[in-house]
Structures are given as C-alpha cells and as structure tokens.
C-alpha cells in the first residue's frame, strides 16, 4: 500500500529559484491537499483540490501555484522561492464521505537559503 | 474564522499512567473532529474521527469525546506506553461540505519507561 507519495523528501533551494513538489495517491480519492507545517504554527492549508480539474486557495496560498494533473496527482510549485517558504510540506488525500478519513504523505523538507 | 487550541503544548508522564489531551475550537458549527498522531519526521496518521452528531469514539486504548456546544474535545489514552510518545493533533472540519481541516498546534507527549 503506497498511499500518498511525495517527492522530493529533502530539497535546498536558493532564493529566487523555482521548484515543484510532486504528490500522487493510489486510493482513487477525489480530494487532495497541500499543507505546510512550521514550528509553533501547526499545519496550514495552502491549496486544495476537491476533484480533478478544480483547485482552490487555502489559508496561505501566496507564493504558490498548484496543478491537479489528473485524479492521482497534485503538484505544488514555488515560482520564486523565498526564505519564508522554508517549511515541511505535506500532501494529503481524502474521499469526502461520512468517514472522511484523510491520509497524509511523509512530508517534504524544503530549505530556502 | 475557526481557531483550534490544544493544551498543554507538551506533556511528560510515566509509563502506565492514564492521560487526557485537550482540544478546543471557537466555532461549534463543525462537520467532524479528528485526532491525529505524528511521529518525528513523519506524516500524520488519523487515530479517531468523531462526527458532529456523535459524542465519542473508541479505538483500543484511545477514547475521544466531543462536546460540540462547548467547543471541546478530549483524547483519553489508557495505560500509556513509551510507544505512545508522539505529537497528537486535533483538527476540525467545518459544516457546509467543506473538506478543509483546521488544525491545532498539537500536544507533544512523552511517556517515560
């Protein structure tokens, strides 16, 4: 059971560089999410996609773009990385039913210097 | 805006002790509440999900209660073990079909042998 797979796990970027975090799920879920986790701030939603072809902003979308490539894949792009984007990024997926269990990836550690 | 608070931020107990973790939320119009566990360097794992119409859920040594009217939930861990050491996060999903979760900052639990 792969569940939710994120790549890369670790990345160091220079200020101004761009990169894409990849996420794929094999549970046939409709909904996918990108969160960031910072010390003392908890998890905050960046973007989410309720279904293939749709995306919507979360709490902290500035500086990010997303693409729901297909039902399985949801990518997060940093166009011009800033030190404030140093964080741990988590992708997640769920099927919106009464159980609404959400599954998280292992995280991507991003450092912007 | 929904806000979720978890107290205490950290807790250290001896093995075998029963303990309670607390979660409070400001807007009682929730769809459900979930408790998660996060191990260092890992993603989140869903432990228990309580629908807004429910008062509690149990899984093994874990029992979660929900008092929607007062905006509170507790996670009770019986007979704690060193393997229970982790950060426990609470998250709420708002009504209206929103799939977005709002997280607390977590309680870091250490169970000492």
């Amino acid at each position: 059971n792969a569940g939710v797979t994120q790549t890369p796990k670790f990345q160091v970027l220079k200020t101004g560089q761009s990169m894409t975090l990849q996420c794929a799920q094999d549970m046939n879920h409709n909904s996918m999410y990108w969160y960031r986790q910072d010390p003392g701030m908890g998890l905050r939603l960046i973007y989410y996609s309720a279904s293939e072809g749709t995306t919507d902003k979360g709490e902290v979308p500035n500086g990010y773009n997303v693409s729901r490539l297909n039902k399985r894949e949801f990518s997060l792009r940093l166009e011009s990385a800033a030190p404030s984007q140093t964080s741990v990024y988590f992708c997640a997926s769920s099927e919106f039913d009464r159980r609404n269990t959400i599954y998280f990836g292992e995280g991507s550690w991003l450092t912007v210097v | 805006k929904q806000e979720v608070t978890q107290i205490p931020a950290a807790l250290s107990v001896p093995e075998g002790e029963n303990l309670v973790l607390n979660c409070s939320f400001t807007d009682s119009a929730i769809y459900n509440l979930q408790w998660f566990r996060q191990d260092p360097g890992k993603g989140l794992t869903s432990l228990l999900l309580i629908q807004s119409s429910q008062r509690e859920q149990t899984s093994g040594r874990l029992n979660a209660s929900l008092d929607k009217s007062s905006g509170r939930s507790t996670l009770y861990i019986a007979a704690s073990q060193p393997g229970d050491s982790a950060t426990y996060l609470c998250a709420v999903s708002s009504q209206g079909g929103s799939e977005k979760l709002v997280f607390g900052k977590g309680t870091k639990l250490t169970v000492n042998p």
Side-chain angles (χ1 to χ4, degrees), chain B residues 11-26:
Chain B
L11 181 64
S12 181
V13 301
E15 182 177 2
E17 191 163 296
N18 302 326
L19 59 100
V20 173
L21 306 181
N22 296 294
C23 172
S24 62
F25 46 95
T26 54

Side-chain angles (χ1 to χ4, degrees), chain A residues 41-89:
Chain A
M41 298 295 294
L43 274 88
R44 293 178 292 169
L45 182 66
I46 306 171
Y47 270 95
Y48 77 102
S49 170
S51 61
E52 184 179 353
T54 68
T55 61
D56 204 350
K57 295 178 181 179
E59 183 183 355
V60 288
N62 292 344
Y64 304 95
N65 286 303
V66 290
S67 296
R68 184 73 183 268
L69 305 170
N70 47 55
K71 193 171 185 179
R72 288 187 66 247
E73 298 173 292
F74 188 38
S75 62
L76 179 71
R77 183 163 177 82
L78 287 70
E79 292 289 354
S80 179
S84 61
Q85 295 178 304
T86 294
S87 187
V88 184
Y89 292 85

Side-chain angles (χ1 to χ4, degrees), chain A residues 9 31 33 35 37 40-43 45 48 50 57 59 90 94 96 98-102 104-106 109, chain B residues 1 31-32 34 36 38 41-46 49 51 53 89 93 97-101 103-105:
Chain A
K9 190 165 180 72
S31 301
Y33 315 79
Y35 287 89
Q37 186 175 36
M41 298 295 294
L43 274 88
L45 182 66
Y48 77 102
K57 295 178 181 179
E59 183 183 355
F90 288 98
S94 73
F96 191 68
R98 290 197 62 80
R99 293 175 300 128
N100 203 31
T101 301
I102 186 169
F104 282 81
E106 296 267 290
W109 273 253
Chain B
K1 177 185 174 185
Y31 188 79
N32 61 43
Q34 296 187 63
F36 296 85
Q38 184 176 27
K42 299 292 186 181
L44 282 70
T45 301
S46 180
L49 183 152
Q51 301 291 349
S53 57
L89 296 102
S93 174
S98 170
E99 300 175 66
K100 294 180 282 188
L101 294 174
F103 284 84
K105 296 178 182 178

Side-chain angles (χ1 to χ4, degrees), chain A residues 7-8 11 13 17-21 76-81 110:
Chain A
T7 57
Q11 183 73 49
L13 284 178
Q17 286 186 319
S18 62
M19 77 158 297
T20 299
L21 299 177
L76 179 71
R77 183 163 177 82
L78 287 70
E79 292 289 354
S80 179
L110 176 65

Side-chain angles (χ1 to χ4, degrees), chain B residues 1 3 7 10 12-14 16-17 23 30 33 35 37 41 48 51 57 63 78 81 89 91 93-94 104 109 113:
Chain B
K1 177 185 174 185
E3 293 182 1
I7 295 173
S12 181
V13 301
E17 191 163 296
C23 172
I30 64 169
L33 182 145
W35 283 93
R37 169 183 173 136
L48 290 164
Q51 301 291 349
Q57 281 285 343
N63 176 275
Q81 303 171 357
L89 296 102
S93 174
S94 299
L109 173 66

